[in-house]
Amino acid sequence: KSMLLKNKFTRVIHYENVDSNLGFNKELNCLNNKLSYGEGNSLELEISKLGLSSYTFIYNSNNNIDNQFWSSFKKNDILFIDSKEFILKHYGEILKLKSHNIIVIIWDGTFYDYSKFKDSFNLVLTCSESFKKKYQALDINCEILYFSFSTDAYKELIVNWNQRKSRPAFLGSINIRNSSHFDRIDTLFKLRNEIDLYLNFGNYFILRIFWLFIKKPTIMFKYLLLFLKSNKPKFGIDYFEEIGKRKIIINNHLDQTEHAANIRILEITGMHALMITDTKKGIFKILPKNSMILYNSPNEILDYLNKLEDEEMYQIAKNGFKYVKDNYSPTNRAKKLTDILMNYGLINDLNLA
């Protein structure tokens, strides 16, 4: 049903590693719009460009949702969810919200079959053309929108090029099974002595080792060595701070997507680092050729690391930074979100700031 957005937007953010000390007061502060941009995702910045009042709720899937929070959701026009666990656990409550004309949007950067739950939401947003096709095959509305963590909130963390670390780094997760990173494991294993690793192995590490032992013993050996080699993973401000003080950051995609997809593409370039990323379909629809370096094998990465001159790296990083700043600003992405919602008839008017 078409409706006019008024003045509130709710976003549910799911962090696997929520600080156990956050507590009720911090959550309440989020609902009272007291969470600073530096602690949240880019949506707060983007929605601020729409002239809306932004509310943020940090959800830890291990906790129950207090009725007070569900009441606050009812006061808003849009519920934006990027937590699969939240949807599976609270399907009934979300369905009730949608029945009261609240727009429910799901963000999914990996793909999950939401067929059983599709009556509880209006639209899925993803960053992959491959995932969009999968959702449409399930008769689920889906559009492309790049919701990276906004580098606008972290620009003070960008270090002068000459003061940056020359040693490359990789920051990201290692997934197993449904949304797997087997190619990432192979690549990082070959690069492990040449770059710094900040890997998030997630929960159920022992179960994943057991599964790999049965299904992919060679991968299990590499997985274990990467675990031993990796530094502690970095999140939020620490994540951006690390990117902002490196000259080179390596990027790699999920095995399941043919198309360039992950939001790290914009996070690396948006922090003025040189991105070396795997070749994927549609990559030049996101960034121009002169703003990154593409590779087809780990050996190509090693060759680049040996032959790239500092001035050349700086210029490519500068090109990427400028393009992201000009084309993926919070205002631009907010306008894109508005167009999507209007095209689906979910809103009929919105006053852009």
Side-chain angles (χ1 to χ4, degrees):
K1 180 180 178 179
S2 295
M3 59 184 297
L4 174 66
L5 276 180
K6 296 185 283 295
N7 63 349
K8 293 188 170 102
F9 190 110
T10 296
R11 182 166 201 268
V12 178
I13 305 177
H14 173 233
Y15 289 117
E16 287 287 345
N17 297 279
V18 173
D19 184 348
S20 59
N21 295 320
L22 282 177
F24 179 81
N25 290 334
K26 187 67 171 286
E27 292 170 347
L28 189 60
N29 284 343
C30 293
L31 289 172
N32 286 336
N33 200 27
K34 295 178 182 177
L35 188 68
S36 71
Y37 289 159
E39 295 174 279
N41 196 295
S42 64
L43 269 178
E44 288 80 43
L45 283 172
E46 286 156 27
I47 299 308
S48 72
K49 300 297 182 181
L50 302 179
L52 305 178
S53 175
S54 174
Y55 287 82
T56 303
F57 173 68
I58 295 181
Y59 171 68
N60 181 345
S61 60
N62 294 323
N63 294 337
N64 291 319
I65 302 295
D66 190 281
N67 286 335
Q68 177 182 356
F69 297 133
W70 286 113
S71 297
S72 75
F73 294 158
K74 293 176 184 177
K75 300 174 184 177
N76 294 274
D77 295 305
I78 299 180
L79 181 64
F80 190 104
I81 307 172
D82 74 352
S83 167
K84 178 183 73 176
E85 292 82 0
F86 184 88
I87 297 163
L88 302 187
K89 188 173 183 178
H90 300 290
Y91 161 72
E93 291 92 338
I94 298 170
L95 181 60
K96 290 177 183 177
L97 291 175
K98 182 171 176 281
S99 69
H100 287 88
N101 290 329
I102 292 176
I103 301 170
V104 180
I105 308 293
I106 291 177
W107 163 258
D108 190 355
T110 57
F111 180 77
Y112 182 79
D113 186 350
Y114 287 111
S115 297
K116 295 179 181 178
F117 310 95
K118 65 181 183 181
D119 56 341
S120 68
F121 58 85
N122 301 90
L123 178 69
V124 173
L125 298 175
T126 186
C127 57
S128 167
E129 190 67 37
S130 300
F131 299 153
K132 177 181 176 179
K133 291 178 180 178
K134 287 184 177 182
Y135 279 120
Q136 290 178 332
L138 297 173
D139 196 29
I140 292 176
N141 293 332
C142 183
E143 294 295 335
I144 301 290
L145 190 65
Y146 296 101
F147 271 128
S148 62
F149 279 69
S150 179
T151 52
D152 297 67
Y154 305 99
K155 55 188 176 184
E156 72 278 1
L157 300 177
I158 298 177
V159 175
N160 182 279
W161 183 263
N162 293 327
Q163 297 176 315
R164 291 184 173 221
K165 294 181 181 180
S166 297
R167 185 173 172 85
F170 178 88
L171 300 88
S173 300
I174 300 291
N175 295 340
I176 301 297
R177 297 187 67 182
N178 295 330
S179 298
S180 57
H181 285 133
F182 297 139
D183 177 72
R184 180 176 294 182
I185 292 172
D186 280 332
T187 299
L188 296 180
F189 179 76
K190 292 176 182 177
L191 299 176
R192 68 191 186 282
N193 295 321
E194 307 299 326
I195 68 175
D196 291 333
L197 300 170
Y198 298 88
L199 303 177
N200 175 23
F201 290 85
N203 301 319
Y204 313 113
F205 180 75
I206 300 301
L207 289 177
R208 290 179 178 183
I209 290 291
F210 182 72
W211 186 88
L212 288 172
F213 176 76
I214 296 173
K215 301 287 187 179
K216 295 180 178 289
T218 303
I219 290 289
M220 184 202 72
F221 170 75
K222 297 176 181 179
Y223 185 76
L224 277 172
L225 283 184
L226 288 176
F227 178 78
L228 296 173
K229 188 77 174 178
S230 177
N231 298 289
K232 183 179 178 182
K234 298 200 173 188
F235 304 95
I237 292 176
D238 293 337
Y239 168 84
F240 284 99
E241 184 176 34
E242 192 62 43
I243 296 176
K245 63 186 181 185
R246 299 277 178 163
K247 289 186 176 181
I248 301 174
I249 299 290
I250 310 297
N251 184 45
N252 181 273
H253 286 78
L254 281 167
D255 295 352
Q256 281 79 5
T257 179
E258 299 179 274
H259 296 80
N262 67 28
I263 58 177
R264 197 177 295 107
I265 291 172
L266 301 183
E267 294 170 346
I268 295 170
T269 49
M271 292 301 289
H272 208 303
L274 167 62
M275 178 177 67
I276 302 180
T277 186
D278 48 341
T279 304
K280 289 287 184 179
K281 292 180 181 179
I283 186 71
F284 298 132
K285 292 181 180 179
I286 304 173
L287 293 172
K289 186 179 295 187
N290 68 349
S291 64
M292 60 191 152
I293 290 178
L294 302 179
Y295 70 85
N296 293 295
S297 71
N299 288 335
E300 283 192 12
I301 299 177
L302 293 173
D303 287 343
Y304 282 125
L305 297 182
N306 288 327
K307 72 181 184 182
L308 283 171
E309 298 291 337
D310 191 71
E311 180 59 33
E312 182 183 8
M313 290 191 295
Y314 171 73
Q315 189 58 54
I316 296 172
K318 181 180 178 181
N319 293 341
F321 176 72
K322 184 178 186 306
Y323 191 86
V324 169
K325 184 178 179 181
D326 292 344
N327 293 275
Y328 293 98
S329 67
T331 301
N332 290 344
R333 291 191 305 222
K335 178 63 168 61
K336 174 71 172 177
L337 173 60
T338 303
D339 290 343
I340 290 172
L341 295 179
M342 292 184 72
N343 287 340
Y344 277 88
L346 298 174
I347 60 172
N348 54 31
D349 190 18
L350 192 57
N351 182 28
L352 284 170

